């Protein structure tokens, strides 16, 4: 099922979450890179749409967790495209981030995953900052949304009124939830990031972990989860 999203948005549904290919008439960009098995799906989709690896002009990362950066090294090599992410995410991508307290569990899980999937790191080529305007997909604005990680970013398409919200929440039928505490390395920032999205007031929201591709459905679920009443579009 696919509703309330623009035509140039393609989901690659992977092992743990979704990554997205954002397509305009003559080029595309990848938003996150997935984990296990996604390279086959990404290659197949790019080919099916009539593109070559070189048509992929950029790789955007919401953050550096393994389920988002899992294929970063491969995708960077395959496309020759630059990697765009917040500088605070490089340690996550490299697997050198020093998790504290309860989030040490996240570090242990990722370390196991990296060994299992023979993960390889890659450099972030272009550092992103809040409100930066990127020229891709008709214009994407970087929305720095720290909380889940310190450098976690969303991407907002003004043209489509659509926010890619990364791991601000997961959106499944009967199971809409915030990321579990063990996964949030900057939890003190989370509430401000929710407020930032409330003020941004996007028409549609597409997270990274979801069941159906429906921008309106996820906006509704986001509002309910975070207790945003009367969130009218303006
Ligand atoms: Zn994450
Ligand atoms: Zn995730």
């Amino acid at each position: 099922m696919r509703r309330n999203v623009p035509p140039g948005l393609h989901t690659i549904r992977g092992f743990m979450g979704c990554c997205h290919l954002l397509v305009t008439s003559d080029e595309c960009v990848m938003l996150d890179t997935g984990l296990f098995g996604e390279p086959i799906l990404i290659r197949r989709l790019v080919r099916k749409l009539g593109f070559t690896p070189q048509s992929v002009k950029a790789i955007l990362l919401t953050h550096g967790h393994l389920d988002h950066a899992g294929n970063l090294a491969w995708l960077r090599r395959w496309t020759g495209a630059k990697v765009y992410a917040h500088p605070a995410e490089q340690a996550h991508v490299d697997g050198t981030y020093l998790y504290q307290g309860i989030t040490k569990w996240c570090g242990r899980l990722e370390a196991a995953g990296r060994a299992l999937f023979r993960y390889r790191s890659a450099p972030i080529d272009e550092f992103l900052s809040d409100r930066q305007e990127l020229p891709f997909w008709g214009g994407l604005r970087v929305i720095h949304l720290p909380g889940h990680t310190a450098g976690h970013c969303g991407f907002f398409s003004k043209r489509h009124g659509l926010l890619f919200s990364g791991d601000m929440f997961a959106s499944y039928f009967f199971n809409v939830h915030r990321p579990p505490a063990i996964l949030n390395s900057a939890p003190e920032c989370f509430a401000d990031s929710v407020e930032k999205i409330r003020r941004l007031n996007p028409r549609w929201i597409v997270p990274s972990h979801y069941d159906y591709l429906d921008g309106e459905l996820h906006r509704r679920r986001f509002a309910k989860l975070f207790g945003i009443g009367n969130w009218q579009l303006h």
Side-chain angles (χ1 to χ4, degrees):
M1 189 177 92
R2 147 192 199 106
R3 289 170 60 185
N4 304 310
V5 287
L9 170 55
H10 298 267
T11 301
I12 295 116
R13 191 169 284 281
F15 182 59
M16 281 184 67
C18 298
C19 46
H20 296 96
L21 188 70
L22 315 183
V23 174
T24 44
S25 56
D26 56 351
E27 62 176 43
C28 43
V29 298
M30 269 302 297
L31 176 59
D32 288 333
T33 71
L35 184 54
F36 183 66
E38 277 89 330
I40 295 168
L41 303 175
I42 294 169
R43 267 200 299 256
R44 194 184 294 159
L45 177 61
V46 167
R47 212 173 297 139
K48 192 178 122 193
L49 294 170
F51 290 119
T52 65
Q54 290 70 38
S55 314
V56 180
K57 297 300 177 199
I59 303 161
L60 312 180
L61 274 190
T62 56
H63 62 301
H65 278 162
L66 189 59
D67 56 321
H68 299 253
N71 297 297
L72 191 61
W74 165 74
L75 197 62
R76 184 172 179 270
R77 203 174 54 240
W78 187 60
T79 60
K82 284 182 176 172
V83 174
Y84 293 71
H86 192 282
E89 296 307 297
Q90 186 69 66
H92 286 283
V93 172
D94 291 343
T96 57
Y97 182 78
L98 285 174
Y99 287 98
Q100 304 288 340
I102 193 175
T103 64
K104 282 183 180 162
W105 280 104
C106 178
R108 287 177 194 134
L109 288 170
E110 283 191 305
R114 275 194 296 274
L116 187 65
F117 300 119
R118 301 208 175 108
Y119 173 76
R120 286 180 41 228
S121 171
I124 297 170
D125 301 294
E126 300 284 342
F127 288 151
L128 299 178
S129 56
D130 191 33
R131 303 193 67 82
Q132 187 177 342
E133 300 284 349
L134 300 172
F136 313 116
W137 209 46
L140 284 175
R141 189 192 309 157
V142 177
I143 312 288
H144 184 210
L145 299 169
H148 184 57
T149 62
H152 180 272
C153 286
F155 296 90
F156 178 61
S157 160
K158 196 173 174 199
R159 176 181 290 185
H160 303 297
L162 187 157
L163 173 71
F164 294 99
S165 60
D167 278 6
M168 286 296 296
F169 75 125
S171 182
Y172 296 96
F173 189 55
F174 278 127
N175 187 12
V176 181
H177 61 90
R178 303 162 188 243
I182 63 157
L183 301 182
N184 299 328
S185 41
E188 67 283 1
C189 304
F190 208 94
D192 284 349
S193 293
V194 171
E195 173 60 16
K196 207 167 180 178
I197 294 177
R198 190 191 68 77
R199 272 184 278 120
L200 179 70
N201 198 3
R203 177 164 64 130
W204 292 330
I205 293 180
V206 174
S208 297
H209 301 267
Y210 61 84
D211 44 10
Y212 306 114
L213 184 58
D214 181 338
E216 203 175 293
L217 173 74
H218 299 307
R219 182 186 192 274
R220 225 169 29 237
R221 287 173 174 175
F222 179 89
K224 188 157 177 240
L225 176 67
F226 291 107
I228 303 172
N230 195 25
W231 201 22
Q232 303 295 340
L233 288 170
H234 50 236

